[in-house]
Amino acid sequence: MYKKKAMTSEKASKVKRQGHEDAREFAGVLGIAQEFIYEPQAKRDVVDTEGYAYSVKSGEKKWQIFLYGKSRFESDYDFNASPLGDLFLECINCFPESYDEYKKNKLKCKENLKKPMRRLCEELSKRSC
């Protein structure tokens, strides 16, 4: 049986540095790139001016951003002060409340998600640093 080998320390270092750059880029999208300081021992990657923490998971430049519940996007002032809050909510609302319902209608949910995700992508592209 073939055992998968761990990545080399050189590769691990490259992945770690890329993670730092991804966090910096995300901070730029939030408008806080100047204030961004990467803390290697921290569990959170980016903390905004209101003290909200974000964990940036990325791969091939696709960020996992829905780490928060619907209520966070409904109540967060920063998201609601721009079109982002509404777009995030529109994306989240493409999915039913229960996972069982989602499993029954995966394709429909994904189809419904395309338009708001494209608008979200356009909005985030305007904000890139």
Side-chain angles (χ1 to χ4, degrees), residues 22-80:
D22 291 342
R24 181 176 303 286
E25 185 176 348
F26 185 74
V29 171
L30 292 176
I32 57 170
Q34 298 296 326
E35 298 89 355
F36 176 75
I37 299 171
Y38 186 77
E39 297 177 25
Q41 67 278 12
K43 294 285 184 195
R44 51 202 180 181
D45 298 319
V46 178
V47 179
D48 68 17
T49 55
E50 298 295 316
Y52 290 114
Y54 304 87
S55 177
V56 181
K57 307 295 179 211
S58 65
E60 302 300 319
K61 287 298 174 194
K62 294 183 181 178
W63 291 334
Q64 179 184 351
I65 54 174
F66 291 146
L67 301 174
Y68 301 106
K70 184 178 177 179
S71 62
R72 167 80 184 268
F73 292 109
E74 291 172 331
S75 63
D76 188 290
Y77 174 79
D78 290 327
F79 281 113
N80 289 307

Side-chain angles (χ1 to χ4, degrees), residues 74-116:
E74 291 172 331
S75 63
D76 188 290
Y77 174 79
D78 290 327
F79 281 113
N80 289 307
S82 74
L84 291 179
D86 289 337
L87 288 170
F88 282 124
L89 282 171
E90 195 174 337
C91 291
I92 290 171
N93 288 331
C94 288
F95 297 92
E97 293 294 323
S98 80
Y99 184 67
D100 288 335
E101 283 300 312
Y102 168 72
K103 287 192 296 188
K104 293 177 192 173
N105 299 300
K106 282 184 185 182
L107 293 178
K108 182 180 178 195
C109 293
K110 291 176 182 181
E111 189 61 36
N112 292 343
L113 185 60
K114 286 181 183 179
K115 286 183 183 178

